[in-house]
Amino acid sequence: MKPLSECRVAVIGLGLMGASLCMDLKRRNLCREVRGVTRNFSTILRAFHEDAVDLATTDLSSGVAGADVVILSTPVRAVVTMLETLGPILWPGTVVMDMGSTKAEICAAMDRLPPRVQPIGGHPMTGKETAGYAAAESGLYEGAPWVLTPLPRTTTETVSLASELATSIGAFPITMEAVRHDRLVAAISHLPYLLASGLVHTVKDSGANDAAVWDLAAGGFRDTSRVAASDTQMFLDILMTNRDAVLAQMDTMSGHLQELRMLLADSDEESLRTKLSCSQTTRAAWKPKQGVLASQAK
Amino acid sequence: MKPLSECRVAVIGLGLMGASLCMDLKRRNLCREVRGVTRNFSTILRAFHEDAVDLATTDLSSGVAGADVVILSTPVRAVVTMLETLGPILWPGTVVMDMGSTKAEICAAMDRLPPRVQPIGGHPMTGKETAGYAAAESGLYEGAPWVLTPLPRTTTETVSLASELATSIGAFPITMEAVRHDRLVAAISHLPYLLASGLVHTVKDSGANDAAVWDLAAGGFRDTSRVAASDTQMFLDILMTNRDAVLAQMDTMSGHLQELRMLLADSDEESLRTKLSCSQTTRAAWKPKQGVLASQAK
């Protein structure tokens, strides 16, 4: 298999994730050609103008024709649908990757691709609460974990190429099974999103009685609620394709909240101290993997 | 009443909040004298060495003797206890402020001070998840809301002096009643803390089954859980002195989480979209009051 430097790479979807990837690949001259495929013609003009692509098109067929690597960068369920469309038109030997936030349904759809193409799931663990091409930036992937979920049919060469791509833009690849990935991100990504949404609703209820709550809201609220501003369609797709794992995490969380509520209602201060100390110690000891803090403190 | 520039200011408690205040007052030369009172002798040495105080002592009586302004900067219940000790020894005309995160119990204790002193409650809405003198820094209050909760006995001159102090170090004062303050911060500060604690416990449970969850945790988890690392004693005091308001916010939050859970379990995608879009729009439209972002993105 060719090294990344000799590959034509087609990125489908020029939102935050796809366009940031194009910018890194193009501006750092990491591959032979960077193509962007988007439904939005004004995005094409902007991507050309900002040196994010070598070629860009609204036409999927011409976008993927002759590409060595095709990277799907749309919301999860659009990836699943797109894989059905792509199956018949991909050239033999094409590596098909994606950047979706849940992996089991995507990898199942990838497994239905014709045998002549090489699929591998992927999920770079970075992002921002702002979406779309306008939010894209070089260096978004610097220091981020990039989960790769190979299928049984995925060759080691394909895993190597995907790892090379992730590494080339500063991410560090972690390989695991799709179902395991989905279970883990339910806890550290999908649950926090739902908590943030619930918190915003709660403060909104409070604000309906006394709007001054919005003036007092400071760093704690800002950080705890940040991900609630994420793209709704993206998260709907995530939740609907990872429902059972998310529900399980919500139930575990509810148990902890009920316990905290009970301890506080009972003024059981020593038990409350023990429980809060445990989360204090755990959170204070946790460090994001290399560079995640640097790349995402924006 | 004297202007701030002619006041001797004694700060009791040289943790994150108190020491940061001393640094600003001293290094910017904002008052006649800055005194620090702390139980920890090594903190005294450090505060002198780093030009955070003019005088420092472990002795409360000599620390407040002749001070024009005494600012209590300890956990909430320590403030309440300290006010009882201070009552008999404060000089006539002393302005007594505090920086505690809940105000009703503190203001009730302030009201029991002798008539010869002038009390006013205060709560600068800033901070970090790290505690203690070592975490203190100049500029911590830049751009932060600083709630002032005057008592019925508090004179307008005292409110003016407290406002001048807050403004002099870059905060912006907001005056309101203590009970109203406590109700509002239950939603935007105390609830987020409990959510962060519950989230850390949930991820810890997940990590007990599969430790890789800690490797994947990135920006979403980092921000949503940050405040869980806050000082446990500080938050225990907050929760125990604002119990009813916190319980009410927890119940509202639980209602929203239950609704989100039900919509997801039922795959009621349109209702889920409506609810998530509402929090998306609300959070994306919210901007912290002037400068809060800048001062706290650390």
Side-chain angles (χ1 to χ4, degrees):
Chain A
M1 193 170 279
K2 296 175 190 172
L4 182 62
S5 59
E6 294 174 21
C7 288
R8 293 184 166 96
V9 177
V11 177
I12 304 177
L14 295 183
L16 168 66
M17 305 301 281
S20 296
L21 176 61
C22 286
M23 289 171 184
D24 279 348
L25 292 174
K26 175 72 172 76
R27 295 175 188 169
R28 301 182 194 182
N29 201 22
L30 296 173
C31 54
R32 178 169 165 195
E33 184 180 286
V34 179
R35 300 181 188 173
V37 182
T38 169
R39 287 179 303 191
N40 189 332
F41 194 74
S42 68
T43 301
I44 290 183
L45 297 179
R46 194 157 168 194
F48 271 122
H49 183 68
E50 295 177 3
D51 194 32
V53 292
D54 294 299
L55 297 168
T57 173
T58 57
D59 182 64
L60 189 62
S61 300
S62 53
V64 302
D68 301 290
V69 180
V70 171
I71 303 177
L72 285 73
S73 181
T74 64
V76 173
R77 289 183 296 186
V79 170
V80 171
T81 308
M82 183 111 33
L83 284 167
E84 289 173 29
T85 311
L86 284 175
I89 61 173
L90 288 173
W91 285 27
T94 308
V95 168
V96 181
M97 300 175 57
D98 82 294
M99 321 225 292
S101 301
T102 61
K103 300 267 56 81
E105 289 206 15
I106 287 175
C107 287
M110 281 181 164
D111 207 26
R112 294 191 290 271
L113 287 170
R116 69 177 184 282
V117 302
Q118 265 294 302
I120 180 168
H123 179 210
M125 307 284 299
T126 183
K128 297 192 286 194
E129 70 276 20
T130 43
Y133 182 92
E137 58 180 308
S138 293
L140 183 69
Y141 300 98
E142 203 72 49
W146 188 315
V147 177
L148 296 174
T149 57
L151 286 64
R153 63 188 267 190
T154 307
T155 64
T156 53
E157 289 78 11
T158 298
V159 176
S160 296
L161 183 64
S163 297
E164 187 192 350
L165 186 140
T167 308
S168 73
I169 58 174
F172 57 98
I174 301 176
T175 301
M176 65 173 64
E177 286 171 17
V179 171
R180 184 181 172 202
H181 164 274
D182 288 1
R183 196 169 53 230
L184 296 178
V185 293
I188 50 99
S189 174
H190 310 166
L191 174 63
Y193 168 73
L194 290 169
L195 294 177
S197 170
L199 174 61
V200 171
H201 277 286
T202 303
V203 174
K204 192 165 185 277
D205 291 349
S206 184
N209 291 319
D210 188 343
V213 76
W214 296 113
D215 296 337
L216 297 197
F221 172 75
R222 181 200 62 212
D223 289 354
T224 322
S225 67
R226 179 179 64 83
V227 289
S230 303
D231 185 64
T232 305
Q233 183 62 52
M234 182 186 79
F235 257 108
L236 261 183
D237 276 26
I238 289 171
L239 297 172
M240 298 302 286
T241 58
N242 200 24
R243 204 176 52 166
D244 291 346
V246 174
L247 291 174
Q249 294 301 328
M250 290 186 87
D251 291 343
T252 305
M253 176 77 195
S254 289
H256 286 297
L257 280 184
Q258 278 165 25
E259 188 186 342
L260 286 165
R261 192 201 187 287
M262 190 190 66
L263 297 176
L264 181 58
D266 294 349
S267 294
D268 182 349
E269 191 166 342
E270 280 322 298
S271 303
L272 189 56
R273 184 194 305 275
T274 302
K275 192 161 178 81
L276 297 176
S277 289
C278 174
S279 49
Q280 197 281 329
T281 309
T282 303
R283 180 55 179 80
W286 174 73
K287 292 277 174 293
K289 282 283 239 183
Q290 55 172 81
V292 173
L293 259 173
S295 75
Q296 300 193 331
K298 284 162 186 165
Chain B
M1 192 170 283
K2 297 175 189 171
L4 181 63
S5 58
E6 294 176 21
C7 287
R8 292 186 167 94
V9 177
V11 176
I12 303 178
L14 295 183
L16 168 66
M17 305 301 281
S20 295
L21 175 62
C22 285
M23 289 172 185
D24 279 349
L25 292 174
K26 175 73 171 77
R27 296 176 188 168
R28 301 182 193 181
N29 201 22
L30 297 173
C31 54
R32 179 169 166 193
E33 184 179 286
V34 179
R35 300 181 189 174
V37 182
T38 169
R39 289 179 302 189
N40 190 331
F41 193 74
S42 68
T43 301
I44 290 182
L45 297 179
R46 194 157 168 193
F48 271 122
H49 183 69
E50 295 179 1
D51 194 32
V53 292
D54 294 299
L55 297 169
T57 174
T58 58
D59 182 65
L60 189 62
S61 300
S62 53
V64 302
D68 302 289
V69 180
V70 171
I71 303 178
L72 285 72
S73 180
T74 64
V76 172
R77 288 182 297 186
V79 170
V80 171
T81 308
M82 183 113 29
L83 285 166
E84 289 173 28
T85 311
L86 284 174
I89 61 174
L90 288 172
W91 286 28
T94 308
V95 169
V96 181
M97 299 174 58
D98 81 296
M99 323 226 291
S101 301
T102 60
K103 300 266 60 81
E105 290 206 14
I106 286 175
C107 287
M110 282 180 163
D111 208 25
R112 294 191 290 270
L113 286 170
R116 69 177 182 281
V117 301
Q118 264 294 301
I120 180 169
H123 178 210
M125 307 283 300
T126 183
K128 296 193 286 192
E129 70 277 20
T130 44
Y133 181 92
E137 57 180 309
S138 293
L140 183 70
Y141 299 98
E142 202 72 50
W146 189 314
V147 176
L148 296 174
T149 56
L151 285 64
R153 62 188 267 188
T154 307
T155 63
T156 53
E157 288 78 12
T158 298
V159 176
S160 295
L161 182 63
S163 297
E164 186 191 353
L165 186 140
T167 307
S168 74
I169 56 174
F172 56 98
I174 301 176
T175 301
M176 64 173 66
E177 286 171 16
V179 172
R180 183 180 172 203
H181 164 275
D182 289 0
R183 196 169 53 229
L184 296 178
V185 292
I188 50 99
S189 173
H190 311 165
L191 174 64
Y193 168 73
L194 290 169
L195 294 177
S197 170
L199 174 61
V200 170
H201 277 286
T202 303
V203 174
K204 192 165 185 279
D205 291 348
S206 184
N209 291 318
D210 188 344
V213 75
W214 297 113
D215 297 336
L216 297 196
F221 172 76
R222 180 200 62 213
D223 288 355
T224 323
S225 67
R226 179 178 66 81
V227 290
S230 302
D231 185 65
T232 304
Q233 183 61 53
M234 181 186 80
F235 257 109
L236 260 182
D237 276 25
I238 289 171
L239 297 172
M240 298 303 285
T241 57
N242 200 23
R243 204 176 51 165
D244 291 346
V246 174
L247 291 174
Q249 293 301 326
M250 290 185 87
D251 292 343
T252 305
M253 177 75 194
S254 289
H256 287 297
L257 280 185
Q258 277 165 24
E259 188 186 343
L260 286 165
R261 193 201 186 286
M262 189 190 66
L263 297 176
L264 181 59
D266 294 348
S267 293
D268 183 351
E269 192 167 340
E270 279 323 298
S271 303
L272 190 55
R273 184 194 306 275
T274 302
K275 191 159 180 84
L276 297 176
S277 288
C278 174
S279 49
Q280 197 282 328
T281 309
T282 303
R283 179 57 178 80
W286 175 73
K287 291 276 175 293
K289 284 283 241 183
Q290 57 172 81
V292 173
L293 259 174
S295 74
Q296 299 192 334
K298 283 163 188 167

XYZ file of all heavy atoms in Angstrom, chain B residues 73-136:
461
model
N -11.989 35.456 54.481
C -11.836 34.654 53.275
C -11.516 33.212 53.650
O -10.421 32.712 53.409
C -10.725 35.259 52.418
O -10.565 34.499 51.254
N -12.499 32.581 54.261
C -12.364 31.178 54.674
C -13.614 30.454 54.179
O -14.555 31.096 53.693
C -12.299 31.070 56.211
O -13.556 31.520 56.742
C -11.176 31.915 56.792
N -13.662 29.124 54.298
C -14.914 28.432 53.989
C -16.078 29.005 54.802
O -15.870 29.575 55.888
C -14.615 26.979 54.366
C -13.141 26.839 54.114
C -12.560 28.166 54.541
N -17.287 28.864 54.271
C -18.454 29.577 54.783
C -18.665 29.392 56.286
O -18.863 30.374 57.017
C -19.728 29.129 54.026
C -20.976 29.721 54.671
C -19.642 29.554 52.560
N -18.627 28.169 56.774
C -18.937 27.980 58.183
C -17.826 28.490 59.088
O -18.067 28.865 60.243
C -19.296 26.522 58.459
C -20.684 26.195 57.854
C -21.110 24.789 58.142
N -20.200 23.819 57.543
C -20.412 22.507 57.550
N -21.489 22.016 58.106
N -19.551 21.692 56.980
N -16.609 28.530 58.572
C -15.531 29.148 59.340
C -15.754 30.661 59.440
O -15.401 31.282 60.446
C -14.178 28.833 58.698
N -16.336 31.246 58.399
C -16.677 32.676 58.458
C -17.684 32.923 59.574
O -17.533 33.841 60.384
C -17.249 33.170 57.101
C -17.829 34.581 57.239
C -16.179 33.140 56.017
N -18.716 32.066 59.622
C -19.763 32.220 60.637
C -19.158 32.139 62.045
O -19.434 32.979 62.912
C -20.862 31.146 60.443
C -21.838 31.157 61.616
C -21.605 31.395 59.119
N -18.308 31.164 62.260
C -17.662 30.994 63.563
C -16.752 32.178 63.891
O -16.752 32.708 65.007
C -16.821 29.700 63.573
O -17.637 28.629 63.130
C -16.279 29.398 64.959
N -16.001 32.598 62.879
C -15.045 33.685 63.087
C -15.751 34.991 63.435
O -15.233 35.800 64.223
C -14.229 33.863 61.801
C -13.155 34.899 61.899
S -11.472 34.260 61.810
C -11.603 32.806 60.839
N -16.928 35.190 62.864
C -17.668 36.426 63.154
C -17.996 36.513 64.640
O -17.947 37.603 65.234
C -18.951 36.491 62.311
C -18.732 36.839 60.833
C -19.990 36.556 60.012
C -18.313 38.313 60.678
N -18.295 35.370 65.260
C -18.572 35.382 66.700
C -17.340 35.785 67.498
O -17.419 36.538 68.468
C -19.043 33.992 67.161
C -20.434 33.645 66.664
C -20.816 32.207 66.976
O -20.306 31.659 67.982
O -21.589 31.632 66.194
N -16.182 35.260 67.051
C -14.932 35.603 67.730
C -14.593 37.075 67.537
O -14.090 37.744 68.453
C -13.780 34.748 67.145
O -14.200 33.393 67.116
C -12.505 34.907 67.950
N -14.851 37.576 66.336
C -14.432 38.932 65.999
C -15.281 39.996 66.696
O -14.779 41.073 67.044
C -14.498 39.152 64.485
C -13.382 38.517 63.667
C -13.669 38.704 62.174
C -12.034 39.172 64.015
N -16.565 39.693 66.874
C -17.506 40.675 67.418
C -16.926 41.523 68.539
O -16.882 42.762 68.436
N -16.436 40.899 69.604
C -15.957 41.688 70.747
C -14.654 42.447 70.492
O -14.350 43.380 71.240
C -15.725 40.613 71.829
C -16.433 39.379 71.346
C -16.436 39.456 69.878
N -13.858 42.049 69.501
C -12.516 42.648 69.389
C -12.373 43.651 68.243
O -11.343 44.306 68.115
C -11.429 41.547 69.237
C -11.648 40.703 67.985
C -11.373 40.666 70.474
C -10.516 39.697 67.730
N -13.401 43.766 67.413
C -13.275 44.713 66.296
C -13.360 46.144 66.795
O -14.132 46.460 67.705
C -14.382 44.463 65.262
C -14.228 43.195 64.429
C -15.487 42.976 63.593
C -12.992 43.282 63.537
N -12.559 47.024 66.186
C -12.583 48.436 66.560
C -13.846 49.109 66.030
O -14.397 48.675 65.031
C -11.329 49.130 66.007
C -10.084 48.792 66.759
C -9.842 47.636 67.441
C -8.934 49.606 66.912
N -8.608 47.673 68.012
C -8.007 48.876 67.706
C -8.570 50.887 66.479
C -6.755 49.387 68.057
C -7.320 51.392 66.823
C -6.426 50.646 67.616
N -14.287 50.153 66.694
C -15.486 50.860 66.226
C -15.306 51.356 64.791
O -14.232 51.836 64.424
C -15.612 52.048 67.188
C -14.864 51.624 68.416
C -13.748 50.736 67.924
N -16.344 51.180 64.005
C -16.313 51.694 62.631
C -15.727 50.743 61.614
O -15.726 51.039 60.412
N -15.222 49.589 62.073
C -14.630 48.647 61.128
C -15.676 48.130 60.135
O -16.787 47.774 60.536
C -14.039 47.416 61.871
O -13.168 47.880 62.896
C -13.294 46.501 60.917
N -15.307 48.105 58.868
C -16.157 47.467 57.861
C -15.778 45.990 57.788
O -14.597 45.663 57.641
C -15.981 48.132 56.475
C -16.658 47.292 55.383
C -16.564 49.544 56.502
N -16.760 45.113 57.925
C -16.519 43.671 57.898
C -17.142 43.083 56.635
O -18.362 43.152 56.446
C -17.110 42.971 59.136
C -16.817 41.470 59.091
C -16.556 43.593 60.402
N -16.302 42.546 55.766
C -16.782 41.911 54.532
C -16.405 40.434 54.567
O -15.621 40.002 55.393
C -16.092 42.527 53.311
C -16.326 44.006 53.119
S -15.320 44.639 51.733
C -15.872 43.624 50.372
N -16.946 39.680 53.616
C -16.499 38.299 53.484
C -16.538 37.934 52.006
O -17.008 38.721 51.169
C -17.389 37.340 54.278
C -18.644 37.010 53.528
O -19.448 37.939 53.283
O -18.804 35.856 53.105
N -16.020 36.764 51.686
C -16.008 36.305 50.293
C -16.621 34.910 50.178
O -16.299 34.156 49.263
C -14.565 36.273 49.772
C -13.698 37.421 50.287
S -12.741 38.211 49.031
C -11.573 36.948 48.628
N -17.503 34.565 51.083
C -18.079 33.215 51.094
C -19.071 32.984 49.965
O -19.718 33.915 49.492
N -19.217 31.723 49.586
C -20.024 31.367 48.413
C -21.513 31.266 48.698
O -22.316 31.157 47.778
C -19.538 30.045 47.826
O -18.186 30.144 47.456
N -21.911 31.220 49.985
C -23.330 31.363 50.313
C -23.456 32.531 51.285
O -22.525 32.823 52.044
C -23.925 30.093 50.974
O -23.218 29.806 52.181
C -23.808 28.897 50.028
N -24.594 33.178 51.245
C -24.680 34.460 51.938
C -25.708 34.533 53.069
O -25.535 35.329 53.997
C -24.974 35.598 50.926
C -23.903 35.741 49.852
C -22.833 36.769 50.178
C -22.031 36.557 51.398
N -20.912 35.616 51.293
N -26.731 33.733 53.061
C -27.807 33.905 54.051
C -27.301 33.657 55.474
O -27.527 34.481 56.370
C -28.980 32.984 53.720
N -26.599 32.551 55.704
C -26.129 32.257 57.067
C -25.069 33.251 57.511
O -25.021 33.650 58.676
C -25.588 30.816 57.149
C -26.704 29.785 57.036
C -26.366 28.465 57.721
O -25.394 28.408 58.509
O -27.074 27.488 57.441
N -24.215 33.625 56.579
C -23.168 34.596 56.923
C -23.787 35.953 57.274
O -23.403 36.596 58.267
C -22.150 34.724 55.768
C -21.262 33.471 55.724
C -21.312 35.995 55.898
C -20.306 33.409 54.560
N -24.753 36.393 56.479
C -25.372 37.695 56.766
C -26.157 37.664 58.074
O -26.203 38.670 58.799
C -26.249 38.134 55.596
S -25.254 38.665 54.178
N -26.756 36.512 58.385
C -27.438 36.387 59.680
C -26.423 36.525 60.811
O -26.681 37.200 61.833
C -28.167 35.052 59.761
N -25.254 35.898 60.657
C -24.204 36.007 61.678
C -23.652 37.430 61.735
O -23.329 37.950 62.804
C -23.083 35.009 61.382
N -23.555 38.077 60.582
C -23.078 39.467 60.543
C -24.027 40.383 61.303
O -23.607 41.355 61.932
C -22.947 39.944 59.093
C -21.694 39.436 58.378
S -21.619 40.049 56.686
C -19.865 39.745 56.310
N -25.305 40.062 61.224
C -26.295 40.910 61.882
C -26.181 40.825 63.408
O -26.696 41.696 64.119
C -27.701 40.520 61.419
C -28.650 41.704 61.491
O -28.172 42.861 61.416
O -29.869 41.480 61.640
N -25.519 39.790 63.889
C -25.316 39.659 65.341
C -24.058 40.392 65.813
O -23.755 40.408 67.012
C -25.228 38.173 65.719
C -26.533 37.411 65.488
C -26.521 36.017 66.111
N -25.620 35.097 65.433
C -25.974 34.310 64.404
N -27.211 34.363 63.913
N -25.104 33.485 63.865
N -23.319 40.986 64.880
C -22.137 41.777 65.268
C -22.598 43.012 66.042
O -23.715 43.496 65.853
C -21.353 42.212 64.022
C -20.538 41.133 63.308
C -20.026 41.670 61.969
C -19.365 40.664 64.180
N -21.725 43.550 66.902
C -22.104 44.750 67.664
C -22.423 45.916 66.727
O -21.885 45.992 65.615
C -20.854 45.068 68.492
C -19.891 43.949 68.291
C -20.384 43.063 67.219
N -23.280 46.825 67.178
C -23.710 47.944 66.321
C -22.564 48.846 65.868
O -22.692 49.557 64.879
C -24.685 48.725 67.207
C -25.026 47.823 68.335
C -23.903 46.844 68.491
N -21.450 48.817 66.560
C -20.355 49.746 66.229
C -19.601 49.359 64.961
O -18.759 50.123 64.480
C -19.388 49.852 67.414
C -18.581 48.591 67.663
C -17.574 48.758 68.795
N -16.783 47.543 68.961
C -17.200 46.453 69.593
N -18.409 46.423 70.135
N -16.427 45.387 69.676
N -19.826 48.151 64.431
C -19.137 47.758 63.182
C -20.137 47.714 62.032
O -21.352 47.643 62.230
C -18.414 46.399 63.323
C -17.395 46.451 64.441
C -19.397 45.264 63.511
N -19.601 47.765 60.821
C -20.417 47.852 59.609
C -20.218 46.595 58.761
O -19.206 46.451 58.054
C -20.002 49.083 58.805
C -20.871 50.288 59.068
C -22.301 50.065 58.582
O -22.542 49.813 57.405
N -23.266 50.129 59.510
N -21.183 45.660 58.773
C -21.011 44.432 57.996
C -21.622 44.526 56.593
O -22.606 45.231 56.379
C -21.782 43.409 58.829
C -22.853 44.202 59.513
C -22.373 45.633 59.616
N -21.031 43.792 55.666
C -21.625 43.617 54.333
C -21.138 42.283 53.768
O -19.944 41.967 53.817
C -21.284 44.793 53.380
C -21.923 44.571 51.999
C -19.772 45.005 53.251
C -21.873 45.794 51.084
N -22.071 41.490 53.246
C -21.712 40.205 52.642
C -21.192 40.407 51.228
O -21.527 41.392 50.565
N -20.366 39.486 50.786
C -19.849 39.570 49.415
C -19.480 38.210 48.869
O -19.151 37.294 49.635
N -19.567 38.084 47.558
C -19.182 36.825 46.915
C -18.658 37.084 45.510
O -19.430 37.261 44.571
C -20.387 35.856 46.846
C -20.068 34.578 46.154
N -21.001 33.850 45.459
C -18.899 33.890 46.026
C -20.430 32.767 44.938
N -19.163 32.770 45.269
N -17.326 37.129 45.364
C -16.755 37.259 44.028
C -16.949 35.947 43.272
O -16.560 34.889 43.749
C -15.275 37.528 44.297
C -15.017 37.111 45.694
C -16.313 37.041 46.426
N -17.570 36.043 42.075
C -17.938 34.835 41.329
C -16.791 34.409 40.416
O -16.888 34.462 39.194
C -19.184 35.105 40.486
C -20.350 35.665 41.272
S -21.189 34.390 42.220
C -21.709 33.297 40.916
N -15.705 33.983 41.044
C -14.585 33.491 40.268
C -13.901 32.432 41.105
O -14.335 32.139 42.222
C -13.621 34.633 39.895
O -12.570 34.122 39.081
C -13.014 35.291 41.127
N -12.854 31.874 40.601
C -12.161 30.837 41.354
C -11.517 29.866 40.395
O -11.497 30.073 39.183
N -10.960 28.843 40.972
C -10.345 27.784 40.188
C -10.613 26.492 40.945
O -11.027 26.513 42.086
C -8.830 28.000 40.075
C -8.445 29.249 39.330
C -6.974 29.273 38.972
C -6.092 29.547 40.178
N -4.696 29.844 39.794
N -10.359 25.380 40.293
C -10.579 24.123 40.993
C -9.394 23.780 41.887
O -9.457 22.816 42.653
C -10.879 22.985 40.010
C -9.719 22.542 39.164
C -9.538 23.428 37.948
O -10.041 24.565 37.940
O -8.870 22.982 36.996
N -8.328 24.588 41.813
C -7.211 24.386 42.724
C -7.339 25.363 43.880
O -7.778 26.491 43.702
C -5.875 24.614 41.988
O -6.002 25.789 41.180
C -5.553 23.430 41.097
N -6.953 24.929 45.077
C -7.186 25.714 46.277
C -5.861 26.075 46.944
O -4.799 25.578 46.581
C -8.058 24.928 47.259
N -5.929 26.973 47.918
C -4.763 27.272 48.737
C -3.933 28.429 48.221
O -4.109 28.900 47.088
N -2.999 28.875 49.066
C -2.135 30.009 48.709
C -1.392 29.760 47.401
O -1.223 30.657 46.580
C -1.126 30.278 49.832
C -0.235 31.456 49.534
C -0.587 32.733 49.968
C 0.927 31.302 48.788
C 0.210 33.824 49.667
C 1.722 32.397 48.475
C 1.366 33.650 48.915
O 2.141 34.729 48.603
N -0.952 28.524 47.216
C -0.144 28.198 46.029
C -0.892 28.460 44.728
O -0.281 28.693 43.689
C 0.308 26.737 46.088
N -2.219 28.426 44.780
C -3.017 28.642 43.570
C -3.340 30.120 43.350
O -3.863 30.499 42.298
C -4.311 27.829 43.651
N -3.005 30.969 44.323
C -3.372 32.390 44.233
C -2.612 33.086 43.111
O -1.505 32.689 42.755
C -3.083 33.077 45.569
